[in-house]
């Protein structure tokens, strides 16, 4: 593809989507970026505040299940690149209510694929990047090798099953219709703008408000942590140089046990935060009942992305966590309004009842 791009970023007001939009607008100021986001509980227009009013940026509030809206946006904006982030993304919510996950992650992705297929048939140029997760591969034992692109799918939660379903649809649109798609499967992200329900922001915020730090089960589950900026740079490389029809794993090479991670966060907070309600923060750690179907270990092998496209992560977990803790410390105005009644009700359901 030559010249400047015209992107439709679904879910661009969420955590990774908004980091990606900031990344892209800075790296490629001549490209046009249109964000489509339904602004669910996880979407936040403030995440994009500094871009509002810029000529090459547009925000549209809307649902990826709305076919008429998709058709008109793709056509009127002459979109060539879809970066599809929109999803219900939290495993615990998928256990409480899987319906929304089927609707957005499967029906929504299908609707977007259909709209893009029709649009692409007249243009014959473009790319549909589907942003997915390592959770589709299931759970690893301690001695198992990390997930590669050929690891069989074995999702264990309604969230990962719905993402797996969407991945299969994307793959099928490439093979059946020739729609130019690429899938990325990424490990756990962290960094600025992550909604408080996820492990790292939840722990940071609970420390700052003096609430207990709920560690599921024995705290020995392992996740492979990737700083969100590194995820964005990987997606950049994939959009520009990825091979159509392919899948790329993206990971941080940072396998950490949950309890070790929470201890690292406590140490950083003790060091960086003045006047904490409880000091030392480790006193707040509380083991709570485990998540049903809790995957034991994820680990991503991103050799393909490294050898074929030259991408490697650049932020160590120590540096990334320090940056993240500093961000939550200095952005109380961002997270305080998110501890809404709805959030408290959700919190009660998961951690108390
Ligand atoms: P998020 O929950 O923070 O954001 C999701 C965004 O999608 C929100 O802005 C929300 O308003 C929007 N959205 C939800 N339903 C929609 C709909 N029907 N129509 C339009 N917009 C809708 O999620 P995230 O953590 O930023 O994840 C983004 C994507 O990356 C997801 O597809 C997720 O599966 C994938 N992913 C996430 C991680 C991670 O660690 N967070 C890792 C790998 C892959
Ligand atoms: O692996 C990629 C996935 O990472 C993404 O696809 C998902 O969208 C994203 O939410 C994330 O899923 P996880 O379930 O791994 O992330 P979460 O932050 O919810 O939990 C991380 C680990 O911490 C997990 O083992 C569960 C544990 N945990 C989580 C919370 C919220 C706790 O022990 N206590 C908690 O309160």
């Amino acid at each position: 593809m030559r010249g400047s791009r015209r992107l439709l970023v679904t879910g661009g007001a969420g955590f990774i989507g908004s980091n990606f939009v900031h990344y892209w607008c800075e790296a490629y100021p001549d490209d046009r970026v249109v964000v489509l986001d339904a602004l669910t509980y996880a979407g936040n227009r403030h995440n994009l505040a500094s871009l509002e009013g810029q000529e090459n940026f547009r925000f549209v509030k809307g649902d990826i299940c709305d076919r008429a809206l998709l058709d008109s946006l793709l056509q009127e904006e002459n979109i060539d690149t879809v970066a599809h982030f929109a999803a219900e993304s939290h495993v615990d919510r998928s256990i409480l209510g899987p319906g929304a996950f089927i609707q957005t992650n499967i029906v929504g992705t299908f609707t977007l694929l259909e709209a893009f297929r029709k649009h692409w048939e007249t243009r014959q140029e473009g790319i549909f990047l589907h942003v997915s997760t390592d959770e589709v591969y299931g759970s690893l034992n301690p001695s198992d090798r990390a997930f590669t692109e050929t690891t069989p799918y074995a999702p264990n939660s309604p969230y990962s099953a719905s993402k797996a379903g969407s991945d299969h649809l994307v793959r099928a649109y490439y093979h059946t219709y020739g729609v130019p798609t690429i899938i990325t499967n990424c490990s756990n992200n962290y960094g600025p703008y992550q909604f408080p329900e996820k492990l790292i922001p939840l722990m940071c915020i609970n420390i700052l408000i003096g609430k207990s730090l709920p560690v599921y089960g024995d705290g020995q589950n392992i996740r492979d942590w990737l700083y969100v900026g590194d995820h964005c740079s990987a997606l950049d490389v994939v959009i520009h140089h990825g091979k159509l029809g392919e899948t790329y794993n993206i990971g941080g090479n940072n396998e950490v046990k949950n309890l070790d991670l929470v201890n690292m966060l406590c140490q950083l907070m003790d060091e960086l935060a003045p006047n904490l309600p409880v000091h030392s923060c480790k006193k707040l750690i509380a083991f709570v009942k485990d998540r049903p179907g809790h995957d034991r270990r994820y680990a991503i092998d991103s050799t393909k992305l490294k050898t074929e496209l030259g991408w490697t992560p650049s932020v160590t977990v120590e540096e990334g966590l320090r940056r993240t803790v500093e961000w939550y410390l200095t952005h109380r105005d961002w997270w305080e309004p998110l501890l809404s009644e709805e959030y408290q009700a959700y919190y009660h359901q998961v951690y108390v009842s």
Side-chain angles (χ1 to χ4, degrees), residues 89 133-135 159 188 199 214 216 223 258 291 294 351:
S89 70
T133 170
D134 59 359
E135 297 201 14
Y159 163 68
N188 284 63
L199 179 72
Y216 295 158
R223 296 294 182 264
N258 290 342
R291 170 187 280 175
H294 194 178
Y351 297 98

Side-chain angles (χ1 to χ4, degrees), residues 11-19 37 42-44 47-48 193:
F15 163 49
I16 306 174
S18 61
N19 276 283
D37 197 295
N44 189 342
N47 296 358
L48 301 167
Y193 301 118

